[in-house]
Amino acid sequence: MMNEGSGNNTNIVLIGMPGCGKSTIGRRLASQYGFDFIDSDIEFERIWGISPSDCIQQYGEAEFRKKETEVLQSFKCCERKVIATGGGVVTVPGNYDLLHGLGIVIYIKRRLKMLSVKGRPLSAGRGVEALYAERRPLYESFSDARVYNREVDKTVEEIMHIWSKKCDMK
């Protein structure tokens, strides 16, 4: 399940529904393979001084997405990083080229009933099922590869296998 054409091969960019395990898996990947870990939500708060959920609630989703894209643009010169993105990063069409310029894009899938809505205003407001129905085709079209998160260690191994194969292809 690979798309061709990722730009930078040295980074791993994780996309998927809120609560699918991007940050947990990203930290484990980074630690195990000597990469640095970047959580775009944490960077968002560091740069803008407000959490993503508070930004959405106070200024709306459109303003949040604009600021989120600016945060992602700040990662352009990164190498050997694992980047966990926000769950809705795929809702901005211009982020496709941006994410692919950052590295190989991996879609982490997880059963919907395993996804938490705590602290996630869009998941809580729209419902996980509706959000997934809207975003699933975007995750699939944005990704170079897809993995199913059943167990963190196995998911980490699968991602590193995909990443090493992709690097060997270049």
Side-chain angles (χ1 to χ4, degrees), residues 126-138:
R126 292 187 199 156
V128 171
E129 293 80 7
L131 213 55
Y132 178 72
E134 171 191 315
R135 293 178 180 177
R136 183 185 57 79
L138 299 171

Side-chain angles (χ1 to χ4, degrees), residues 7-145:
N8 179 345
N9 259 9
T10 66
N11 299 313
I12 299 169
V13 180
L14 305 177
I15 64 172
M17 284 289 287
C20 72
K22 297 180 297 284
S23 294
T24 301
I25 289 164
R27 281 186 190 92
R28 186 83 52 91
L29 270 168
S31 170
Q32 195 164 332
Y33 293 96
F35 284 40
D36 292 322
F37 175 70
I38 299 172
D39 184 314
S40 66
D41 287 345
I42 291 171
E43 287 300 301
F44 183 96
E45 189 163 356
R46 186 184 66 75
I47 291 167
W48 295 107
I50 187 171
S51 72
S53 61
D54 287 345
C55 184
I56 291 167
Q57 290 173 335
Q58 291 180 32
Y59 304 106
E61 186 178 358
E63 181 63 20
F64 166 70
R65 295 289 170 217
K66 184 177 143 243
K67 291 180 180 319
E68 179 182 51
T69 296
E70 289 180 37
V71 170
L72 293 170
Q73 289 170 338
S74 74
F75 305 152
K76 279 187 178 179
C77 295
C78 293
E79 291 187 0
R80 294 187 56 83
K81 307 281 189 248
V82 177
I83 302 166
T85 64
V89 70
V90 296
T91 64
V92 176
N95 285 344
Y96 180 92
D97 289 336
L98 177 57
L99 294 180
H100 285 270
L102 293 175
I104 183 170
V105 180
I106 307 289
Y107 168 27
I108 299 176
K109 300 167 76 172
R110 193 164 198 198
R111 290 177 43 197
L112 296 185
K113 68 181 182 179
M114 301 291 291
L115 304 177
S116 169
V117 298
K118 186 178 182 197
R120 304 179 198 291
L122 299 178
S123 295
R126 292 187 199 156
V128 171
E129 293 80 7
L131 213 55
Y132 178 72
E134 171 191 315
R135 293 178 180 177
R136 183 185 57 79
L138 299 171
Y139 292 134
E140 290 176 358
S141 69
F142 267 62
S143 63
D144 293 308

